[in-house]
């Protein structure tokens, strides 16, 4: 179990680091969805066999809700994911400074945009977990569904985070 938790922390760290770094760049709205999709695809292929590559508390909760992960393991995964994201935030804050998303998290529009984007992302993850997508295509489907989810969320007015650990 320890290796799975390390994989989740490292994967979430990598994703959060890439997203937060890209958000500090000029034209972040255009770059961040591609960065997030590519990083997620990378981690699906590199840590997916070890931990399942949830690297998102929302995905862990979704898999827990359909009994694909035990309660104790889900809680441990979420803690590891939050720690990985916090470490990435600390590193980005130290090296770049605070990254302003420019969005009011309490806005209902932003909240709905994030839900719409997350739904498309979760649909891709569900296709991989439930079996219609074969292993060699899993990274493409998961990364692509994240890319689509982020692009839709951004089009509807959010920063397109779709990941509570990264949004933290």
């Amino acid at each position: 179990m320890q290796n799975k938790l390390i994989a989740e922390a490292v994967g979430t760290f990598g994703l959060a680091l890439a997203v937060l770094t890209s958000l500090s760049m000029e034209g972040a709205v255009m770059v961040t969805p591609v960065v997030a999709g590519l990083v997620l695809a990378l981690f699906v292929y590199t840590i997916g066999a070890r931990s399942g590559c949830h690297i998102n508390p929302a995905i862990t909760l979704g898999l827990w809700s359909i009994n694909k992960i035990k309660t104790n393991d889900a809680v441990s995964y979420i803690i590891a994911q939050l720690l990985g994201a916090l470490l990435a935030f600390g590193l980005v804050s130290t090296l770049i400074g605070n990254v302003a998303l420019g969005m009011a998290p309490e806005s209902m529009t932003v909240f709905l945009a994030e839900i719409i984007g997350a739904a498309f992302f979760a649909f891709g993850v569900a296709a991989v977990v439930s079996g219609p997508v074969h292993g060699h295509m899993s990274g493409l489907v998961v990364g692509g569904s994240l890319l689509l989810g982020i692009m839709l969320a951004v089009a509807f007015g959010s920063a397109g985070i779709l990941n509570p650990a990264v949004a933290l």
Side-chain angles (χ1 to χ4, degrees), residues 8 54 56-65 69 74 77-78 81:
E8 286 296 307
H54 300 189
N56 182 331
I59 297 301
T60 299
L61 286 174
L63 295 174
W64 170 78
S65 74
I69 186 171
Y77 267 44
I78 291 170
Q81 293 158 357

Side-chain angles (χ1 to χ4, degrees), residues 72-130:
N72 289 341
D73 293 346
V75 170
S76 297
Y77 267 44
I78 291 170
I79 291 169
Q81 293 158 357
L82 293 174
L83 288 173
L86 285 171
L87 287 172
F89 176 75
L91 183 60
V92 170
S93 292
T94 300
L95 298 176
I96 297 174
N98 286 335
V99 177
L101 300 178
M103 300 288 160
E106 63 276 358
S107 163
M108 184 55 75
T109 302
V110 170
F111 180 72
L112 291 175
E114 289 287 320
I115 288 176
I116 290 167
F120 276 86
F121 175 40
F123 185 77
V125 171
V128 169
V129 171
S130 61

Side-chain angles (χ1 to χ4, degrees), residues 1-2 5 20 34-35 38 42 45 58 63 71 73 81 85 89 93 97 104 110 114 138 147 155 164:
M1 182 64 171
Q2 181 179 353
L5 297 177
L20 292 170
V34 176
V35 168
L38 289 173
L42 168 71
Y45 289 120
L63 295 174
T71 301
D73 293 346
Q81 293 158 357
F89 176 75
S93 292
V110 170
E114 289 287 320
S138 60
L147 173 61

Side-chain angles (χ1 to χ4, degrees), residues 7-8 11-12 15 39-40 43 47 53-57 60 81 163 165:
E8 286 296 307
T12 307
L15 179 61
V39 170
L40 184 59
F43 282 116
I47 69 169
C53 189
H54 300 189
I55 65 176
N56 182 331
T60 299
Q81 293 158 357
N163 186 326

Side-chain angles (χ1 to χ4, degrees), residues 16-38:
L17 181 70
V19 167
L20 292 170
T21 302
S22 75
L23 287 172
S24 71
M25 297 168 42
E26 195 72 30
V29 172
M30 301 302 283
V31 173
T32 302
V34 176
V35 168
L38 289 173

